[in-house]
Amino acid sequence: MFGKGILTGLGITFRHIVDSFAADRRRGFGKNRYLPEGKEHTGPVPGWITVQYPEEKLQLPENFRFYPVLIKDDETGADWCTACGICARVCPPQCIWIVRAKKDDGKPEPRPEQFFIDTTICMQCGYCAEYCPFDAIKMDHRYEYSTLERTVSGIHDKERLTVFQSYYAQTHPRAAAAEKAVRDEKEAKKAKGGRASKEEKPAAAPAAH
Amino acid sequence: MTMQKVTNVSPAPMTVATPLKDVNAVAAKVNEQFPGAASVDGGSLIVERAQSVPVARLLRDDPSLGVDYLEDITSVDWPDRFDVVYNMYNTTRQEGPLRMKVKADKADPVVPSLVPVHPGANLMEREVYDLMGVKFDGHPNLKRVLLWEGFNGHPLRKDWKEAYFEEEKKPYDQRWPDGKLVRAEDRVPYKDNIVLPPGFDPSKYTAPGEDNVTLVDADALKKGEIRSDTLVINMGPQHPSTHGVFRMRLRLEGERIVDLQPVCGYLHRNHEKIGERNAWLMNMPYTDRLDYVSSMANNFAYAIAVEKLLPTVKVPERAEYLRVIMAEFTRIANHFFALGQLLSDMGAFFTPMLYGIEEREWILDLFEMSSGARMMCNYLRFGGVAKDPPDEFWPLANKLVNDRLERAIDRFDELIAQNEIVLSRAQNVGVLSRADALAFGTVGPVLRASGVPYDVRRAEPYSIYDRFDFSIPVGTVGDVYDRYLVRIAEMRESLKILRQAIKDIPGGQQYNADPAMIYGGPKGWQLKVPKGEVYGRAENPKGSLGFYLVSDGGTNPYRYHIHAPSYVNIGALNVMCKGQTVADVVIITGSLDIVLGELDR
Ligand code: SF4
Ligand code: SF4
């Protein structure tokens, strides 16, 4: 029969409309279905009403990556970064710029004096976090960075980049725990190995992957 | 066709297939016909410049060779010469690649054009001319294709430097330990970075072929006739149904297409030059940006191409399965998207599109969970994958594969496939015959819809695809509707593979190559790839994505070339559209499923 195909299609669309309406009804017409209350998992949920961003937000999976952040210690407030330069060299668009600190006598010190990430160029690949041997740079979950110009606010300096380690442990609980376990193990090994010097630079051996 | 009876009196010389792997045998075969034309060097067939067209014809027509498919043309800039490299295949015996090389002079590089033998060479040769400056003698339309005529020089030559040039190779020394931030724009301010070729005046410039934008057919007018009914119109670059900044120059007679020329390059960023500056690993996230709808599959193709150059790398089982799972999910997501686009081009507006996107969202959730990004996944590494997917990945993947997607494909198909309007618009429109599909070197669903059962997963099995049970859907007519059906069937086949892979995937946490080999591990970013060249390809959702890589043993590729499926497929657009109407051009382009990030590179 001519027109049967069209009618079948229309039937499917109609069913879809009804299903969506029913789904909305079930969840009370969309009052806080998403974060901050955090009731739903990510993923499309049927319904007529979409996510009411920015009041509602989808939950992010732990692995989600946006711009990198630098980690500083909760207790001492010191940077974990040793200015080893690996992240700056592995970065595909080469958007990390690091000035290594110098001691008074001009010798390099394992600490970054300045640390810039040109986020207008950063491609959010995550290599810096992946290859940093000291867990000092991590991919962040914050994603609201829109600005009116790009020449100034697009460049994140050290102050803007740095977050406490506890913040990272909160956004990435599993990864942080796993990395801590690896660090602790290494620490224990070092203690057993009886290498006395406390002032020693963190070992250059890369963290287990 | 009648069966021929062979009487056994004097047996006619049977054609014994010459395996293409055995390059020496191929060369011997060629030299039989054209003495001294061919030699072998490093696994490639080196052909004398003057003989390359007859040799290509012999390779194609000799039944024992049957090299009927020219997949890729590229070139390499060596200090003393240019190599033009042809990667060719036999589609019936599913053999290849046969790598043919023709050498060109450094000072004035000219090689014969292969367009008379393989019409698909047209666009690829133009690309080589554009980016490398090798001229092709006898090419019907040798003009720049990705860049504009006012561009100075040929950027893939080793001595060419870009406007923001900093250093020859990454990593750049300026970043550390004294990384005083300088923005690239400050180093070369806008307007100071444009160098025009000598004698070029932009104000007097008309793009070639665009001067005859007139109602009157200029050729006819010259002959003294006035035929005022062919009209040249530009469709695009900002056209709602060209899926990006892509332009088609149509010559019309009334409503019918007489000629169609694709004009591209609006999104060109010289990915290949960037790739040659980058270290090997740095290219991985850049491949995401090629066909941004299927980044996982792009990663896959690049990873297997590089791994071919790394003989010691052994990908663990679990990683192989993860790669296949991601690649097949990508195929489903891509096809949903592509078919939604196609139907919206046909006038179904957004309903099928959104039904497709809804399923794609679920798949992107899986990608986001495991890789951290929905589209720019950057998930594969040489020798494995970046991370093991988290625990919540598997329940969702199982649910999608065993339950949801199957129904979604059915519903999607039922929604529109029998729709009378769709049938009348899609059937017998944009027909690409089997012979044309091969001759133009089309790839992927476009090739298969024209009845060629050629799929890289079968023809040149990579990773662990030889373990799975799946079939290759082929079309019969080669029209827009067949391309639709082939994609629907491919989604079902992908589901089949996914079911097997998710069932069989071994446990354990070993998702990356042995750390002792460090290819993907902590020092993988400094990876040095052994000297050699390789053409590695994978069956992407859009077709075969090939990487032609040349390594000089260093940390950066010497040559990094991409065979982009979208790019070769538009080469066949002209034959598909001839005689059709303008409204059909929209859906024919839609049925090719092009992505401009990959087309323009
Ligand atoms: S790799 Fe880590 S420790 Fe080294 S410079 Fe970068 S952030 Fe600092
Ligand atoms: S995420 Fe990638 S592009 Fe961005 S700073 Fe890190 S390495 Fe560079």
Side-chain angles (χ1 to χ4, degrees):
Chain A
M1 182 193 86
F2 186 82
K4 188 159 160 270
I6 296 178
L7 288 177
T8 321
L10 287 177
I12 289 177
T13 341
F14 186 69
R15 244 189 356 254
H16 203 262
I17 296 174
V18 175
D19 285 353
S20 309
F21 183 73
D24 264 352
R25 241 191 92 173
R26 266 204 307 281
R27 53 170 67 80
F29 292 99
K31 275 197 211 84
N32 282 328
R33 299 169 307 156
Y34 297 94
L35 292 180
E37 275 70 21
K39 271 186 269 170
E40 299 257 11
H41 178 64
T42 49
V45 178
W48 290 7
I49 303 166
T50 59
V51 184
Q52 302 294 305
Y53 181 82
E55 281 80 23
E56 296 178 343
K57 285 173 187 173
L58 287 173
Q59 189 185 341
L60 297 170
E62 178 174 329
N63 277 342
F64 174 79
R65 53 184 151 84
F66 208 69
Y67 289 145
V69 284
L70 283 174
I71 305 287
K72 70 176 167 187
D73 204 279
D74 279 298
E75 284 146 32
T76 61
D79 299 308
W80 283 17
C81 173
T82 62
C84 70
I86 288 183
C87 57
R89 280 177 289 161
V90 73
C91 173
Q94 298 280 290
C95 66
I96 303 183
W97 304 69
I98 303 171
V99 182
R100 187 165 57 186
K102 282 202 179 88
K103 290 195 189 113
D104 293 339
D105 57 3
K107 288 224 181 83
E109 200 181 346
R111 181 175 66 79
E113 181 77 50
Q114 286 168 15
F115 200 113
F116 296 104
I117 294 185
D118 188 344
T119 57
T120 58
I121 297 177
C122 171
M123 69 203 293
Q124 298 147 5
C125 66
Y127 277 167
C128 47
E130 206 169 302
Y131 287 93
C132 172
F134 304 103
D135 294 330
I137 187 165
K138 290 290 166 198
M139 300 308 280
D140 192 14
H141 277 186
R142 287 173 294 176
Y143 51 82
E144 286 156 319
Y145 282 100
S146 42
T147 54
L148 291 174
E149 44 70 54
R150 65 191 194 97
T151 40
V152 180
S153 38
I155 294 171
H156 291 192
D157 59 8
K158 194 168 142 221
E159 195 180 335
R160 183 147 182 217
L161 284 169
T162 308
V163 297
F164 280 114
Q165 211 275 337
S166 52
Y167 166 81
Y168 168 68
Q170 204 184 331
T171 54
H172 295 69
R174 280 179 288 186
E179 285 154 12
K180 185 163 186 318
V182 173
R183 277 197 308 270
D184 287 350
E185 194 187 324
K186 223 189 266 163
E187 201 79 355
K189 238 190 223 156
K190 220 202 275 173
K192 245 208 235 139
R195 287 161 74 178
S197 157
K198 258 196 214 149
E199 284 299 302
E200 191 184 9
K201 274 194 297 186
H209 214 254
Chain B
M1 225 169 89
T2 51
M3 288 284 281
Q4 265 190 340
K5 281 221 179 82
V6 181
T7 47
N8 233 352
V9 186
S10 60
M14 292 269 289
T15 52
V16 182
T18 314
L20 296 188
K21 260 206 204 102
D22 188 356
V23 188
N24 287 315
V26 176
K29 191 103 197 167
V30 171
N31 282 333
E32 251 170 53
Q33 290 266 343
F34 306 102
S39 56
V40 176
D41 179 23
S44 316
L45 187 74
I46 315 287
V47 175
E48 283 306 311
R49 196 180 323 156
Q51 306 268 47
S52 74
V53 175
V55 168
R57 191 170 285 128
L58 173 78
L59 288 173
R60 185 191 66 184
D61 294 340
D62 189 313
S64 72
L65 295 163
V67 186
D68 54 353
Y69 188 62
L70 172 61
E71 180 162 298
D72 183 49
I73 303 179
T74 184
S75 54
V76 187
D77 179 5
W78 294 107
D80 59 333
R81 61 170 200 277
F82 289 99
D83 271 354
V84 180
V85 185
Y86 305 83
N87 286 295
M88 306 161 136
Y89 289 85
N90 175 327
T91 53
T92 38
R93 298 204 309 265
Q94 314 227 321
E95 278 184 56
L98 176 71
R99 193 179 304 122
M100 178 173 124
K101 282 188 187 166
V102 179
K103 294 183 178 168
D105 290 339
K106 192 79 187 179
D108 182 26
V110 187
V111 299
S113 165
L114 284 200
V115 174
V117 188
H118 297 281
N122 190 323
L123 272 184
M124 291 187 270
E125 286 181 347
R126 276 178 72 187
E127 185 195 323
V128 173
Y129 164 68
D130 188 358
L131 301 182
M132 195 64 100
V134 177
K135 294 195 199 71
F136 289 87
D137 198 17
H139 190 286
N141 180 24
L142 194 63
K143 284 186 304 216
R144 286 185 183 270
V145 58
L146 295 173
L147 301 166
W148 71 307
E149 292 298 320
F151 191 86
N152 189 27
H154 300 283
L156 282 183
R157 291 192 178 181
K158 289 287 172 195
D159 55 5
W160 188 89
K161 307 267 185 284
E162 65 268 33
Y164 296 136
F165 178 76
E166 227 182 302
E167 277 170 53
E168 203 51 63
K169 280 176 185 165
K170 287 177 189 172
Y172 297 152
D173 286 338
Q174 298 186 25
R175 302 296 186 270
W176 176 85
D178 286 309
K180 300 268 163 25
L181 182 101
V182 188
R183 295 174 60 86
E185 288 92 328
D186 299 338
R187 207 175 314 120
V188 186
Y190 168 64
K191 279 183 176 158
D192 279 6
N193 62 358
I194 297 170
V195 185
L196 297 171
F200 182 86
D201 182 359
S203 61
K204 295 207 183 76
Y205 170 72
T206 322
E210 313 215 353
D211 43 356
N212 56 355
V213 184
T214 151
L215 274 171
V216 182
D217 186 336
D219 297 338
L221 197 61
K222 254 185 233 143
K223 282 188 224 140
E225 316 161 21
I226 294 187
R227 284 222 312 273
S228 60
D229 50 3
T230 76
L231 168 68
V232 176
I233 61 164
N234 282 302
M235 201 163 142
Q238 295 95 349
H239 190 277
S241 55
T242 49
H243 301 202
V245 274
F246 173 62
R247 178 154 70 101
M248 287 171 278
R249 201 162 54 235
L250 313 175
R251 181 173 274 279
L252 303 175
E253 198 159 300
E255 179 78 351
R256 303 264 155 210
I257 313 284
V258 185
D259 185 39
L260 181 152
Q261 290 303 326
V263 183
C264 51
Y266 296 92
L267 216 59
H268 181 65
R269 56 207 183 272
N270 216 336
H271 185 100
E272 296 182 9
K273 188 80 175 179
I274 298 173
E276 285 164 24
R277 293 243 190 287
N278 280 349
W280 291 94
L281 184 77
M282 289 178 186
N283 280 331
M284 191 63 86
Y286 278 91
T287 61
D288 289 340
R289 276 100 179 142
L290 284 172
D291 169 3
Y292 39 76
V293 184
S294 35
S295 66
M296 287 274 193
N298 300 343
N299 286 178
F300 200 1
Y302 181 57
I304 57 171
V306 175
E307 279 161 14
K308 278 188 185 176
L309 285 171
L310 301 169
T312 50
V313 91
K314 250 210 139 27
V315 185
E317 280 286 286
R318 187 174 172 81
E320 292 279 24
Y321 276 94
L322 284 172
R323 288 172 167 199
V324 168
I325 290 171
M326 296 302 175
E328 294 308 316
F329 269 130
T330 304
R331 193 176 320 275
I332 297 177
N334 177 78
H335 284 357
F336 264 127
F337 201 64
L339 294 178
Q341 289 272 12
L342 170 63
L343 293 168
S344 104
D345 284 349
M346 274 190 213
F349 201 53
F350 254 77
T351 307
M353 178 96 202
L354 286 177
Y355 283 15
I357 286 180
E358 189 184 349
E359 305 313 315
R360 178 170 171 267
E361 282 298 301
W362 284 104
I363 295 173
L364 295 191
D365 270 359
L366 287 179
F367 292 170
E368 193 180 17
M369 261 179 220
S370 41
S371 74
R374 300 172 82 74
M375 288 176 78
M376 303 299 141
C377 297
N378 187 21
Y379 185 57
L380 269 65
R381 300 286 179 269
F382 310 134
V385 298
K387 298 184 183 89
D388 204 41
D391 297 337
E392 59 276 17
F393 179 91
W394 299 106
L396 180 55
N398 263 315
K399 180 180 143 206
L400 288 185
V401 164
N402 293 321
D403 178 33
R404 186 179 170 108
L405 286 177
E406 180 85 64
R407 278 189 289 127
I409 296 169
D410 286 346
R411 185 183 62 177
F412 191 87
D413 198 22
E414 212 180 315
L415 173 72
I416 216 88
Q418 293 307 317
N419 187 310
E420 284 76 6
I421 303 170
V422 170
L423 291 181
S424 65
R425 289 231 38 209
Q427 282 180 330
N428 296 315
V429 168
V431 178
L432 184 68
S433 70
R434 191 194 145 93
D436 278 346
L438 276 175
F440 281 93
T442 55
V443 289
V446 178
L447 177 67
R448 290 190 286 276
S450 295
V452 185
Y454 193 74
D455 187 311
V456 182
R457 290 173 294 171
R458 269 287 148 74
E460 208 187 345
Y462 54 94
S463 189
I464 48 168
Y465 274 109
D466 45 1
R467 291 187 203 168
F468 299 114
D469 170 35
F470 66 100
S471 40
I472 311 283
V474 266
T476 45
V477 188
D479 56 3
V480 171
Y481 195 60
D482 267 359
R483 279 170 225 138
Y484 168 85
L485 291 179
V486 162
R487 290 202 175 95
I488 289 276
E490 273 184 16
M491 287 202 271
R492 297 192 205 279
E493 296 303 320
S494 290
L495 267 186
K496 237 198 244 170
I497 298 177
L498 279 170
R499 277 196 207 108
Q500 298 167 46
I502 289 184
K503 193 163 90 350
D504 295 345
I505 183 166
Q509 293 295 310
Q510 177 109 55
Y511 54 84
N512 218 326
D514 188 351
M517 288 187 296
I518 61 169
Y519 285 129
K523 292 221 174 116
W525 61 279
Q526 288 169 318
L527 170 71
K528 279 205 174 100
V529 170
K531 224 174 182 156
E533 60 179 324
V534 74
Y535 183 67
R537 53 184 194 154
E539 186 69 32
N540 251 31
K542 298 193 167 53
S544 137
L545 176 71
F547 284 86
Y548 176 71
L549 306 170
V550 179
S551 172
D552 57 359
T555 51
N556 307 60
Y558 185 79
R559 182 78 179 89
Y560 168 85
H561 167 75
I562 292 154
H563 166 261
S566 298
Y567 184 69
V568 290
N569 278 345
I570 60 159
L573 207 49
N574 192 9
V575 283
M576 281 188 247
C577 291
K578 259 190 198 147
Q580 308 281 355
T581 60
V582 177
D584 290 336
V585 171
V586 173
I587 63 168
I588 293 169
T589 320
S591 75
L592 291 185
D593 183 17
I594 53 173
V595 157
L596 271 291
E598 167 183 87
L599 202 156
D600 289 340
R601 277 157 294 151

